[in-house]
Amino acid sequence: MDASSVYQDSLPLSSDALLARLAEWGLEYRLHEHVPLRTVEDSKAAEGQFMVPGENALRIKNLYLRDKKKRNYLVTLEQSREIDLKALGAELGVGNLSFGSADRLMENLGIRPGAVSPLAMINGVENGVRFFMDAAAQQADVIYMHPLVNDRTVAMSRTDVMAFLDRIGCEVTWLP
């Protein structure tokens, strides 16, 4: 199965259910549907379809990582930011990091590869996943991310993203 909305009903929380919950909580978003986006390159090629000119937006990439003690991390970064996993592990004080498997991604964040997103912390919080976010998000007016599937993108205000994370009890550790 791929990470598109075609298979969303096989997720612990479907994209439709997440979007309904955001609306129920009074959190606003703009929804864009598109071809499945699996990589930063795919996203950059498609963003012209939905980016608003002049908007102070953060486009992100997301890394699902594990350390040797089997602790799980979701790291959200500005999409063009270079990352060295060894240096990141040292900076976070957790030692060596590696990418988590597709099975663990589903188990801990309730999503498939290609749909990793801060919104998946709605599942990750209860599974002990720690969340790290690029400090660049603190300067953005709008953050673009997948709503648990990779053929949809939502644009949410930074304020609403932070309200979502607060609502689900997700602590954010900022990465300089």
Side-chain angles (χ1 to χ4, degrees):
M1 281 186 241
D2 65 25
S4 72
S5 58
V6 172
Y7 301 104
Q8 69 171 310
D9 290 335
S10 66
L11 300 174
L13 179 69
S14 71
S15 180
D16 290 344
L18 170 69
L19 296 174
R21 194 161 303 165
L22 294 176
E24 178 183 309
W25 291 343
L27 303 174
E28 295 183 16
Y29 60 87
R30 292 189 319 260
L31 176 65
H32 306 278
E33 297 192 17
H34 45 70
V35 299
L37 305 176
R38 294 177 180 86
T39 65
V40 168
E41 290 73 29
D42 290 348
S43 295
K44 286 181 178 180
E47 65 191 23
Q49 299 173 36
F50 44 80
M51 294 290 297
V52 176
E55 184 176 62
N56 181 16
L58 181 69
R59 296 171 315 271
I60 59 175
K61 64 181 172 186
N62 300 279
L63 309 173
Y64 170 62
L65 304 169
R66 286 177 56 95
D67 65 17
K68 287 186 176 184
K69 294 182 180 178
K70 300 184 176 160
R71 293 176 295 198
N72 297 281
Y73 307 91
L74 176 57
V75 179
T76 296
L77 303 166
E78 190 281 324
Q79 74 178 0
S80 297
R81 182 171 172 176
E82 295 293 321
I83 194 71
D84 173 335
L85 289 184
K86 188 172 185 173
L88 179 63
E91 182 179 342
L92 303 180
V94 299
N96 291 337
L97 292 169
S98 60
F99 290 98
S101 69
D103 288 343
R104 287 190 181 107
L105 180 64
M106 177 59 79
E107 180 183 326
N108 291 295
L109 289 174
I111 51 175
R112 293 191 178 81
V116 183
S117 162
L119 296 172
M121 286 305 295
I122 197 165
N123 298 311
V125 166
E126 62 195 45
N127 293 313
V129 177
R130 289 184 58 199
F131 182 58
F132 294 86
M133 189 169 213
D134 196 318
Q138 294 172 309
Q139 307 307 315
D141 294 327
V142 176
I143 300 172
Y144 284 81
M145 67 199 106
H146 291 311
L148 311 181
V149 294
N150 69 352
D151 60 346
R152 294 175 173 175
T153 295
V154 293
M156 290 179 69
S157 72
R158 177 188 70 246
T159 302
D160 280 346
V161 172
M162 297 312 298
F164 166 79
L165 294 169
D166 186 56
R167 178 82 183 231
I168 63 170
C170 179
E171 182 180 330
V172 178
T173 302
W174 297 101
L175 294 173

